[in-house]
């Protein structure tokens, strides 16, 4: 594999292990944004047709990233919360319907469902701490369950779930299957078809190495038709370029969820970032991330407490470790030493990416164990 470390010329004293939060951009992404800004400075939107080609390329890249056949099933949204809210507000709920989630979800995948309580929808929360979390989730699917919404990887524990097993259960029970994939897209191969997802939602600013403010919303066509629209505008209609028409209908594609002007700056940035990940290959990305996480786990063995699953099959890019003593003080100490990580899940959340050299992990361990 080509060495891509030149894409991340970070400060020599900075050890960035916080990709589960907000990632640094690759050099090519910074260049793409600078070139886009230069175009705007010198000629405005004179090259708008070329910008639309970049937009279409991004849809194709995202379709490749989640292994679906058509980029027409991809909508570009502001963030994960918007995508999940479109599902929550778009389905035709009946009084007594249920949504199943886990007890480890980020608020983005909890609050939109809890907000349905006023419409008589009950959010059933399932604990994942047992030996077989998939079995617990599947057991919670009852006759009133309309949807299971689950994170592919839990943000605070790093716990990875068997999506194919869950998707199969949803199909057998006639339940819609929604995946918040923000903690796996860009870190692991992802197959929306294999897991039978009806919806996949994720921001681009974590493992996809892109900017904040732009994400993907995948909807399987049959599931898409079940969603009422909650936003309207010029861009979401079938004949979007014909501004003189007074009659209109929603676009047949997932563009129906994009009500107004696209985030062209974000589109140029995220397309550049995905070009790097697809160039490297998600299998190679995942292999390098797993190697770094395993090295961290091995180096921390016998010190403090591991708060993440130790089984490689149960984790992606996140390792949570609690040092002995005061956690806040430990976080302040390692941050002062140049290690960028987060306090999550009762410990320090470490989330390396593929481009790190093994020597970086060695330096991280020295700081953690100092």
């Amino acid at each position: 594999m080509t060495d891509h470390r030149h894409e991340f010329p970070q400060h020599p004293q900075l050890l960035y292990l916080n990709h589960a939060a907000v990632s640094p951009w690759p050099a090519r992404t910074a260049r793409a944004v600078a070139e886009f800004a230069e175009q705007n400075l010198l000629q405005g939107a004179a090259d708008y047709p070329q910008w639309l080609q970049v937009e279409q390329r991004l849809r194709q890249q995202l379709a490749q990233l989640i292994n679906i056949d058509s980029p027409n099933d991809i909508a570009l949204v502001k963030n994960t919360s918007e995508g999940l809210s479109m599902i929550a507000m778009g389905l035709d709920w009946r009084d007594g319907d249920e949504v199943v989630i886990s007890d480890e979800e980020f608020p983005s995948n909890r609050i939109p469902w809890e907000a349905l309580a006023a419409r008589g929808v009950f959010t059933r929360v399932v604990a994942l701490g047992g030996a077989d979390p998939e079995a617990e989730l599947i057991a919670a699917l009852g006759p009133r369950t309309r949807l299971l919404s689950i994170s592919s990887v839990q943000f605070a524990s790093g716990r990875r779930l068997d999506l194919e097993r869950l998707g199969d259960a949803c199909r057998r029970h006639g339940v819609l299957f929604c995946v918040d994939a923000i903690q796996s897209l860009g870190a692991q191969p992802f197959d929306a078809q294999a897991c039978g997802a009806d919806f996949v939602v994720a921001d681009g600013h974590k493992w996809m190495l892109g900017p904040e403010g732009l994400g993907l919303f995948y909807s399987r066509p049959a599931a898409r038709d079940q969603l009422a629209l909650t936003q309207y505008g010029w861009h979401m209609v079938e004949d979007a370029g014909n501004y003189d028409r007074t009659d209109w209908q929603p676009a047949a594609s997932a563009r129906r969820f994009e009500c107004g002007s696209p985030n062209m700056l974000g589109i140029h940035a995220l397309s550049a970032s995905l070009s790097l990940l697809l160039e490297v290959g998600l299998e190679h990305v995942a292999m390098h991330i797993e190697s770094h996480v395993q090295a961290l786990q091995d180096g921390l063995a016998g010190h403090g407490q591991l708060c993440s699953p130790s089984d490689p099959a149960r984790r992606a890019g996140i390792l949570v470790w609690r040092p002995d003593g005061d956690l806040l003080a430990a976080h302040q100490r390692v941050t002062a030493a140049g290690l960028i990580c987060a306090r999550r899940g009762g410990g320090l959340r470490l989330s390396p990416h593929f481009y790190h050299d093994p020597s970086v992990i060695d330096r991280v361990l020295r700081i953690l164990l100092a």
Side-chain angles (χ1 to χ4, degrees), residues 48-58 60 264 267:
Y48 205 92
Q50 185 270 330
W51 297 357
L52 292 175
Q53 293 177 14
V54 178
E55 178 187 5
Q56 183 58 24
R57 183 175 71 217
L58 174 59
Q60 293 167 346
M264 278 297 177
I267 285 167

Side-chain angles (χ1 to χ4, degrees), residues 101-366:
I101 65 172
S102 84
D103 64 339
E104 297 185 7
E105 298 302 319
F106 192 73
S108 297
N109 195 30
R110 173 176 53 80
I111 293 174
W113 316 117
E114 292 176 340
L116 296 169
R119 297 168 65 174
V121 178
F122 177 68
T123 300
R124 186 174 299 280
V125 180
V126 176
L128 297 183
D132 192 349
E134 289 85 3
E136 298 296 328
L137 288 164
I138 293 168
L141 304 180
R144 302 307 302 268
T145 306
R146 288 282 303 281
L147 179 138
L148 167 63
S149 187
I150 198 73
S151 293
S152 52
V153 176
Q154 295 299 331
F155 81 102
S157 67
R159 188 189 315 277
R160 176 155 60 108
L161 295 174
D162 185 341
L163 297 182
E164 292 191 25
R165 183 179 172 192
L166 293 175
D168 179 68
C170 286
R171 286 191 295 274
R172 287 188 282 106
H173 286 80
V175 170
L176 290 168
F177 185 34
C178 175
V179 181
D180 176 351
I182 196 170
Q183 293 294 0
S184 57
L185 290 189
Q188 294 180 305
F190 186 96
D191 195 328
Q193 296 188 80
C195 71
D198 293 291
F199 307 106
V200 178
V201 191
D203 279 86
H205 66 269
K206 297 185 186 293
W207 301 96
M208 286 189 270
L209 304 171
E212 292 187 284
L214 186 63
L216 76 89
F217 173 53
Y218 161 73
S219 55
R220 191 170 57 84
R224 178 161 68 241
D225 290 340
Q226 299 182 46
L227 296 183
L229 295 174
T230 57
Q231 302 179 86
Y232 297 85
W234 72 270
H235 192 263
M236 47 73 65
V237 299
E238 188 62 51
D239 193 10
N242 187 346
Y243 307 125
D244 295 324
R245 286 189 63 169
T246 56
D247 64 311
W248 60 272
Q249 60 182 352
S253 71
R255 184 168 54 81
R256 69 174 67 177
F257 301 113
E258 303 171 9
C259 62
S261 297
N263 176 4
M264 278 297 177
L265 179 62
I267 285 167
H268 280 70
L270 185 54
S271 179
S273 295
L274 290 183
S275 74
L276 172 60
L277 291 170
L278 294 173
E279 181 182 302
V280 174
L282 268 297
E283 294 80 7
H284 289 287
V285 168
M287 178 183 68
H288 284 274
I289 291 175
E290 171 55 31
S291 176
H292 296 328
V293 171
Q294 187 64 52
L296 287 168
Q297 180 174 303
D298 292 344
L300 294 170
H303 304 275
Q305 177 186 355
L306 180 68
C307 304
S308 293
S310 59
D311 181 359
R314 279 291 183 199
R315 66 188 184 211
I318 292 173
L319 182 117
V320 182
W321 174 75
R322 182 178 182 88
D324 297 325
D326 182 77
L327 179 60
L328 176 60
H331 185 243
Q332 292 172 337
R333 176 181 64 81
V334 301
T335 300
L339 172 55
I340 308 302
C341 62
R343 285 188 295 125
R344 298 285 191 276
L348 301 178
R349 186 182 68 182
L350 309 166
S351 49
H353 218 308
F354 80 97
Y355 63 85
H356 285 124
D357 187 85
S359 63
V360 170
I361 305 303
D362 292 338
R363 290 171 59 196
V364 168
L365 287 169
R366 286 196 293 272

Side-chain angles (χ1 to χ4, degrees), residues 11-155:
H11 191 283
Q13 299 304 315
L14 189 68
L15 302 169
Y16 202 96
L17 267 69
N18 205 24
H19 299 85
V22 178
S23 283
W25 294 355
R28 67 179 68 188
T29 303
R31 288 195 301 270
V33 169
E35 290 167 5
F36 182 76
E38 185 77 2
Q39 284 186 18
N40 277 269
L41 172 67
L42 299 178
Q43 60 188 51
D47 282 341
Y48 205 92
Q50 185 270 330
W51 297 357
L52 292 175
Q53 293 177 14
V54 178
E55 178 187 5
Q56 183 58 24
R57 183 175 71 217
L58 174 59
R59 293 181 197 275
Q60 293 167 346
Q61 291 169 317
L62 291 168
Q64 182 179 351
L65 189 71
I66 66 171
N67 191 36
I68 61 170
D69 295 328
S70 175
N72 290 330
D73 294 332
I74 296 287
L76 303 177
V77 295
K78 295 192 295 290
N79 46 54
T80 310
S81 296
E82 181 183 45
L84 293 171
S85 292
M86 289 192 302
I87 301 167
M89 297 297 114
L91 287 172
D92 181 21
W93 300 100
R94 298 178 295 272
D95 185 52
D97 282 347
E98 294 186 358
V99 176
V100 173
I101 65 172
S102 84
D103 64 339
E104 297 185 7
E105 298 302 319
F106 192 73
S108 297
N109 195 30
R110 173 176 53 80
I111 293 174
W113 316 117
E114 292 176 340
L116 296 169
R119 297 168 65 174
V121 178
F122 177 68
T123 300
R124 186 174 299 280
V125 180
V126 176
L128 297 183
D132 192 349
E134 289 85 3
E136 298 296 328
L137 288 164
I138 293 168
L141 304 180
R144 302 307 302 268
T145 306
R146 288 282 303 281
L147 179 138
L148 167 63
S149 187
I150 198 73
S151 293
S152 52
V153 176
Q154 295 299 331
F155 81 102

